[in-house]
Amino acid sequence: MKSLLLSALFAIASSVSYAQATEVQTARGMVSIAKKPERVAVFDMAALDTLASIGVKPAGVPEKLYLEMLEPLKQGAEVVGNIFEPDLEALSSLDPDLIILGGRSSTKVDQTAAIAPTIDMTMLGDDLVAQAKERLATYGALFGKEEEAQKVSADLDELVRAAQQAVKGKGKALIVMTNGPKVTAYGPGSRFGWVHATLNLEAAVPDIKAANHGEAVSFEFINKANPDWLLVLDRGSAIGSGEQGAKTTLDNELVAQTTAWKKGQVIYLPAPEFYIAAGGVQSTDKVLQVITDAFNAAK
């Protein structure tokens, strides 16, 4: 009788454990998470952003969060490294149920997996917004925040529609990144190509080389491209390097001859949100709102 009872209890426990398991689509394939994580360490800014949007507070965070809106996450959390390099000793001390890496920290999966289950939630490509929504739904299911995730997703959809409407028929755009005095450009298919793909925003130059840090270009290149709109990322501002700002870099005679400059159609994108936390839903919301406001204000 006792043996039968123990067997029954084991079967019930196994059934409950199975019911709690969540299948998570990661950058490295499907991973099964056996239970709802209670203590999670997060190194990816996009993941931190999206988790914050549904009210999930991590137990472990990187030393520098880059985005002012994420600073409250430090309260009550342990610092467990930076966005590139987890502090394995601090992680071991934290003893998390789950570790979330992505992007800049994604190469450390094997190291952190020795401490706790680790998922790589890197996002790349033209379908960044679709991936962001997929990650949002995943986190909602994993942390029991499905209703919150659905609301955040609906709000994002609305912002996408508003941005699509705002840019419609308003001309061609060129995305550039300044890094001090240096300038690189991005087009469709690049890490920032999602702006073109998601918003149906025509590119001023459709065949830019899709390098991670963009194709190095000259001011003559920008002048020749003559975009109706310049979408500008100031990398120095994003990472807090203190280098020469984008407005100074682009303020020259050749750029001044473009339609974008003449018409005041130069959009300085929210730098850390666009560069550091790309794919985080709150960051994506902010980028879309800036683009929408600028295009709606065009004469």
Side-chain angles (χ1 to χ4, degrees), residues 69-279:
M69 67 179 173
L70 297 183
E71 284 298 315
L73 296 180
K74 285 185 175 180
Q75 297 174 9
E78 296 294 327
V79 172
V80 287
N82 58 51
I83 64 172
F84 297 95
E85 192 75 35
D87 181 331
L88 300 181
E89 185 175 342
L91 267 180
S92 294
S93 178
L94 181 67
D95 191 25
D97 308 301
L98 180 68
I99 300 170
I100 300 178
L101 305 184
R104 298 162 180 82
S105 60
S106 61
T107 59
K108 307 300 181 181
V109 169
D110 292 341
Q111 294 180 26
T112 60
I115 296 171
T118 299
I119 53 177
D120 175 5
M121 303 303 271
T122 299
M123 290 178 280
L124 295 169
D126 274 359
D127 62 344
L128 185 72
V129 172
Q131 292 177 65
K133 290 180 63 180
E134 181 182 89
R135 296 288 188 262
L136 172 61
T138 293
Y139 296 141
L142 188 58
F143 292 94
K145 298 280 189 176
E146 290 92 345
E147 288 188 12
E148 291 89 338
Q150 288 171 11
K151 183 182 184 305
V152 171
S153 183
D155 290 343
L156 176 57
D157 286 341
E158 185 58 36
L159 283 169
V160 168
R161 286 191 290 269
Q164 289 172 337
Q165 188 61 37
V167 308
K168 191 174 182 180
K170 299 280 182 65
K172 301 178 181 181
L174 177 65
I175 302 171
V176 298
M177 178 175 78
T178 66
N179 190 12
K182 300 176 183 178
V183 182
T184 54
Y186 295 82
S190 71
R191 67 188 291 187
F192 303 135
W194 68 268
V195 175
H196 292 295
T198 301
L199 305 185
N200 303 314
L201 178 59
E202 191 173 357
V205 183
D207 57 352
I208 296 172
K209 183 180 177 182
N212 189 47
H213 284 95
E215 180 179 340
V217 297
S218 63
F219 299 125
E220 288 83 0
F221 174 91
I222 298 174
N223 177 275
K224 184 178 179 181
N226 191 26
D228 300 297
W229 294 84
L230 263 176
L231 275 59
V232 182
L233 165 63
D234 185 335
R235 183 177 182 272
S237 175
I239 65 175
S241 68
E243 292 193 82
Q244 175 177 295
K247 291 183 180 180
T248 300
T249 298
L250 295 175
D251 188 6
N252 64 75
E253 185 177 342
L254 287 168
V255 176
Q257 292 172 10
T258 63
T259 299
W261 197 272
K262 289 177 180 177
K263 297 181 72 171
Q265 295 179 168
V266 180
I267 304 173
Y268 295 93
L269 298 167
E273 288 84 357
F274 193 64
Y275 184 67
I276 302 289

